[in-house]
Each structure stands twice: as structure tokens, then as C-alpha cells.
């Protein structure tokens, strides 16, 4: 019972998140109008489909067709007609099944290729963003002009890598509901490093970020990473 209740809650949570996402994209009024009118148009569409199917069933002379294909003039079973009908049916099933398998295999292959490209791209992007933030922290409090210039050069190279990876991810990952969270995080990271100078200037001016004397452990970690 508890498991069923948890599943129901999870479904309602997903519906609520989907609704909020649509509202943020299209606005409350447009979403409400769609929710009200969609069932109405769906009923009309199904009504036309049912009416067309009923007309097709009632107009076609099924008994005569069956009589011609499966029986002879003497009302005996027509082996040739029956075999031909079954062959056509099996051929149609095989064609449908073959197309279904080909489409499934193509989708699977495309997904595997997509994941092979995108996964390492995202991993490198996150790694390089973290590295950039660490390097910028060292650069911001470096008082040695020589080493500061070296760090600035490395920051520039790292930013070029990040920009390249960012735009590749944006091109590879389609903007749909299933990828919305991933793309939002990618955008947030890109925004963080593009505004890191403003963050540090604000933090330093308000004393929230400082270059206080590091502990021996911090120095050891910095040496290891650097």
C-alpha cells in the first residue's frame, strides 16, 4: 500500500513539474486554454475516425470477398485462394516487423553514437569548469606579476576549451523536456565562469572572500593540484 501511495505521489509530482515547466515556457493563460480545448478536439477527432471506420466496415461487401477468395463455386474450400491470402498476410506482417526492427536498430545505434560523443564532452566540460574556478582563485590572490601572467594565460586557454565544449553540447543536446535539467545546469556553469570576476570583486570588497594564511593541509592540496 505504501509503495503504491509513493508511486502515485511521484506521478503527481512529475505532472506538477511538467505543468510548471509548460507554464514557465508558454504562460499560464495559454496552458489553461490548451488543457480546456485539447480534450474537445480529441473527442471530435476520434468521432470522425470511428465514423469513417464504421462506414468502411458497413460499405465493403465482406461476405462476397470471403466467398470469392476462400471458397469455390461448389462451396468447397479454395486451397489456392486460402494459401495466397495467408501468403499476402504473412508478407505484410514480415514487412511491418522488418521496418519496425530496422527503425528500432537505427534509433538504438543513433543513441549509442550520441552517448559516445556527448558523455565525455559533458564530463570534460564539468572538469574544465572546475579547473577554471580553481585557477581563477589562485590568480585572484597572486601578487607576483610573473606567475600571475602565467596563470592568466592558462585561464585564457582553459576558457577557450570550455567555450568550445559548451557550444558543442548546445548543438548536440536537443532542447526538449527530458534534457531541460541537463541544459539548465550546463547554462548555469557557463554563467558562473562568465561572471566569476564580478563574484570575486563583490566577495573581496565585502570581505566574503579573502586570501588568509592557508593551513599546511591547504598548501599541500594546492601543490598537489597545481
Amino acid at each position: 500500500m505504501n509503495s503504491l501511495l509513493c508511486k502515485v505521489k511521484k506521478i503527481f509530482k512529475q505532472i506538477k513539474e511538467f505543468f510548471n515547466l509548460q507554464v514557465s515556457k508558454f504562460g499560464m493563460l495559454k496552458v489553461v486554454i490548451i488543457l480546456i480545448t485539447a480534450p474537445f478536439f480529441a473527442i471530435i477527432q476520434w468521432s470522425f475516425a470511428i465514423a469513417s471506420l464504421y462506414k468502411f466496415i458497413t460499405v465493403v461487401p465482406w461476405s462476397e470477398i470471403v466467398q470469392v477468395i476462400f471458397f469455390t463455386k461448389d462451396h468447397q474450400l479454395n486451397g489456392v485462394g486460402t494459401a495466397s491470402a495467408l501468403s499476402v498476410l504473412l508478407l505484410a506482417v514480415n514487412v511491418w516487423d522488418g521496418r519496425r526492427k530496422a527503425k528500432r536498430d537505427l534509433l538504438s545505434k543513433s543513441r549509442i553514437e550520441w552517448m559516445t560523443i556527448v558523455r565525455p564532452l559533458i564530463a570534460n566540460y564539468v572538469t574544465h569548469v572546475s579547473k577554471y574556478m580553481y585557477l581563477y582563485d589562485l590568480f585572484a590572490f597572486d601578487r607576483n606579476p610573473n606567475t600571475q601572467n602565467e596563470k592568466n594565460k592558462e585561464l585564457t586557454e582553459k576558457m577557450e576549451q570550455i567555450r568550445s565544449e559548451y557550444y558543442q553540447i548546445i548543438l548536440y543536446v536537443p532542447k526538449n523536456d527530458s534534457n531541460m535539467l541537463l541544459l539548465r545546469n550546463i547554462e548555469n556553469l557557463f554563467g558562473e565562469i562568465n561572471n566569476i570576476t564580478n563574484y570575486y570583486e563583490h566577495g573581496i570588497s565585502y570581505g566574503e572572500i579573502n586570501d588568509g594564511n592557508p593551513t599546511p593541509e591547504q598548501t599541500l592540496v594546492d601543490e598537489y593540484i597545481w
Side-chain angles (χ1 to χ4, degrees):
M1 186 67 182
N2 291 333
S3 177
L4 179 61
L5 185 61
C6 290
K7 290 181 179 179
V8 172
K9 288 182 178 179
K10 185 177 180 180
I11 291 172
F12 275 108
K13 184 179 179 181
Q14 291 175 344
I15 293 173
K16 183 178 179 181
E17 290 176 352
F18 177 77
F19 178 78
N20 291 333
L21 180 63
Q22 300 308 311
V23 169
S24 65
K25 289 169 62 177
F26 304 108
M28 176 64 77
L29 180 61
K30 190 171 183 179
V31 172
V32 171
I33 292 174
I34 292 173
L35 289 175
I36 294 173
T37 57
F40 175 73
F41 286 110
I43 291 172
I44 293 177
Q45 187 176 4
W46 276 102
S47 299
F48 278 112
I50 293 171
S52 301
L53 180 62
Y54 176 77
K55 184 177 180 181
F56 174 75
I57 293 174
T58 54
V59 169
V60 175
W62 296 105
S63 59
E64 295 180 11
I65 293 174
V66 171
Q67 184 69 31
V68 171
I69 294 176
F70 295 102
F71 297 95
T72 63
K73 294 181 180 180
D74 300 327
H75 302 289
Q76 300 293 322
L77 185 64
N78 187 351
V80 176
T82 303
S84 300
L86 290 176
S87 298
V88 171
L89 179 62
L90 288 174
L91 178 62
V93 171
N94 287 333
V95 170
W96 171 80
D97 188 56
R99 292 183 64 182
R100 182 180 62 86
K101 288 181 178 178
K103 185 177 180 180
R104 183 184 61 194
D105 293 342
L106 181 62
L107 287 174
S108 298
K109 185 179 179 181
S110 299
R111 285 172 183 167
I112 292 171
E113 291 177 352
W114 182 83
M115 290 172 66
T116 303
I117 296 172
V118 173
R119 275 186 173 179
L121 192 60
I122 293 175
N124 291 336
Y125 175 77
V126 174
T127 302
H128 291 154
V129 168
S130 300
K131 179 69 173 179
Y132 184 91
M133 291 180 175
Y134 171 74
L135 290 174
Y136 192 90
D137 187 73
L138 297 178
F139 168 80
F141 297 109
D142 193 346
R143 300 294 180 262
N144 186 328
N146 294 327
T147 55
Q148 193 177 46
N149 288 334
E150 291 177 4
K151 291 183 176 68
N152 187 38
K153 182 179 179 182
E154 189 170 358
L155 283 170
T156 302
E157 293 174 354
K158 192 64 64 178
M159 177 58 82
E160 290 177 357
Q161 279 185 314
I162 292 170
R163 286 184 181 277
S164 174
E165 290 160 354
Y166 168 77
Y167 289 118
Q168 287 183 69
I169 292 171
I170 295 301
L171 289 173
Y172 272 117
V173 180
K175 289 187 177 181
N176 53 38
D177 294 339
S178 60
N179 296 326
M180 195 63 66
L181 180 60
L182 171 63
L183 290 173
R184 189 183 300 125
N185 290 329
I186 296 297
E187 294 280 357
N188 288 340
L189 285 176
F190 196 66
E192 288 285 336
I193 61 172
N194 274 298
N195 293 284
I196 194 169
T197 302
N198 297 330
Y199 296 154
Y200 267 78
E201 288 179 354
H202 175 83
I204 292 172
S205 62
Y206 283 89
E208 297 172 359
I209 302 175
N210 58 71
D211 59 343
N213 296 326
T215 64
E217 290 79 9
Q218 289 174 326
T219 303
L220 182 64
V221 170
D222 285 347
E223 290 176 354
Y224 175 77
I225 295 176
W226 185 248

